Amino acid sequence: MGAGLGRRQVHAVAACYFVASFAALGLPPYLTQILPELGDASARWAGLLYVVPTVFGALGAPLWGRAADRFGRKRLLLRAQLGLAVSFLLAGWAESFAAFVTALVLQGVLGGTFAASNGYLAAALTGSGLSRALTLMQGAARAALVLAPIVVGSLSPWVSPHRQYALLAVLPLAAAAMLAALPEPTAERPDPTGTPDAADAPQTSAPLAPLKALYAFEFAFVFSTVISFPYLIALVEDRIPGLSPVVSGALFALPHLCYLLFALRVHQVVERRPMQGIAAGFGLVALGLAGHGAADSLAAFTGVRLLLGAGLTLGLVSLSVLAAECAHGRPPGGMFGTLELVSKGGAVAAGLAAAAGNSLLGLSAPLLTGTAIALVALAAATLPALFRRSPRIRWSR
């Protein structure tokens, strides 16, 4: 028998996603230390392997999402956590390069905890409750992104990053045990127009517009923010020689810390006007990325990282509100599976563009590319005519 979800249950889902993300987010930065143990002495494949789980996770997400709609969201969420545990164990026990790559492929194919968690939440929550839950999920991801590499580095003197894959497999197993106690979610989803025959009305092309807008903005936002990640530390060290690695790491984490501190407050501001929040987010991201190109001191980098953090927070929270609106009346597993495909596609495209731009034009090229994409998306977000066909995307209420 299905059930709705209370606050504690929503927090439990977010906590499970947080602990399960530790290995997935904390270990890839150490591929340059792992691969020499497996025969790649110069770790020349580190860049490619960094995105292997993302690519295969993106390809599998829509399939698993549709399976969740058909066979049950809780069942598929448990599958995702157990799939991560299996792939982490295989990666930690791998004794050859080929076996390790296979484990990373399986991590992508068998994982998908973010889409599975969001689909689970969307099956029980609607409106503001769902958008707050999605905001909390993004916070769990940001917290893992900040803390996981620190924990992995702290454990490295005792357990190599390679073997930590097997050690950290206990985390998704613990998450699965916690999730097993949660109910299968269901929710009554009343028609927002109040018309009793709305569910029986013939489908038209109008509902497609919000999803297209959501997917387009999700791709652009992920692309424009992620493209600055791969070469940030190198840029900071180039502009400020001799800067401590701890300070460089803190600068990298600063935008994510902004999200953790202010996301729920921002949600209160943008939940009735997500398109304005998305536009403001793209504008601040564009300013922040452009500022990185000119920054040449610790104070300047701190300022532009905070500016990027403000844009990151506004954009991600507003996209969560928009996703909650688009989920109304749709099978949530399929929608969030496709959304994860789009999001991870943006991350992969950003990584490839960053590598190509840096190779051709230097460290500033990824920043210029990200600024250009953010400005194009800003222009689209500020043209309400693009969304006249969508009754659920409103500039204000």
Side-chain angles (χ1 to χ4, degrees), residues 43-175:
R44 61 190 176 121
W45 293 104
L48 178 62
L49 295 187
Y50 195 97
V51 300
V52 162
T54 303
V55 171
F56 284 91
L59 295 176
L63 174 64
W64 290 124
R66 288 192 293 270
D69 291 328
R70 181 175 181 181
F71 299 109
R73 283 92 189 189
K74 177 181 174 180
R75 186 177 301 173
L76 269 292
L77 179 52
L78 287 171
R79 178 217 58 79
Q81 297 285 4
L82 294 174
L84 276 185
V86 169
S87 63
F88 291 163
L89 284 172
L90 292 175
W93 291 340
E95 297 295 341
S96 68
F97 181 81
F100 185 73
V101 172
T102 300
L104 294 184
V105 171
L106 289 176
Q107 178 187 327
V109 172
L110 299 179
T113 54
F114 191 68
S117 298
N118 287 347
Y120 178 90
L121 294 170
L125 302 171
T126 58
S128 179
L130 177 57
S131 62
R132 285 178 63 86
L134 297 179
T135 298
L136 185 64
M137 288 293 295
Q138 281 285 355
R142 302 293 142 185
L145 185 62
V146 171
L147 295 177
I150 298 173
V151 173
V152 171
S154 300
L155 291 174
S156 293
W158 296 277
V159 183
S160 72
H162 178 202
R163 300 308 179 189
Q164 284 189 48
Y165 267 104
L167 176 66
L168 295 180
V170 70
L171 295 178
L173 285 175

Side-chain angles (χ1 to χ4, degrees), residues 151-256:
V151 173
V152 171
S154 300
L155 291 174
S156 293
W158 296 277
V159 183
S160 72
H162 178 202
R163 300 308 179 189
Q164 284 189 48
Y165 267 104
L167 176 66
L168 295 180
V170 70
L171 295 178
L173 285 175
M178 186 185 300
L179 290 168
L182 295 180
E184 179 68 39
T186 60
E188 293 295 327
R189 295 175 175 272
D191 176 61
T193 66
T195 55
D197 298 328
D200 300 324
Q203 294 295 315
T204 67
S205 60
L208 297 177
L211 279 182
K212 290 180 179 179
L214 172 65
Y215 295 155
F217 287 131
E218 178 78 13
F219 183 92
F221 194 81
V222 170
F223 183 97
S224 60
T225 51
V226 170
I227 197 170
S228 67
F229 293 175
Y231 298 100
L232 176 69
I233 300 299
L235 178 69
V236 171
E237 292 175 349
D238 180 66
R239 299 283 177 81
I240 315 175
L243 190 68
S244 164
V246 175
V247 177
S248 298
L251 288 173
F252 181 89
L254 199 53
H256 309 294

Side-chain angles (χ1 to χ4, degrees), residues 78 94 119 123 161 249 272 290 295 312 319:
L78 287 171
R272 295 187 178 276
L312 185 79
L319 284 167

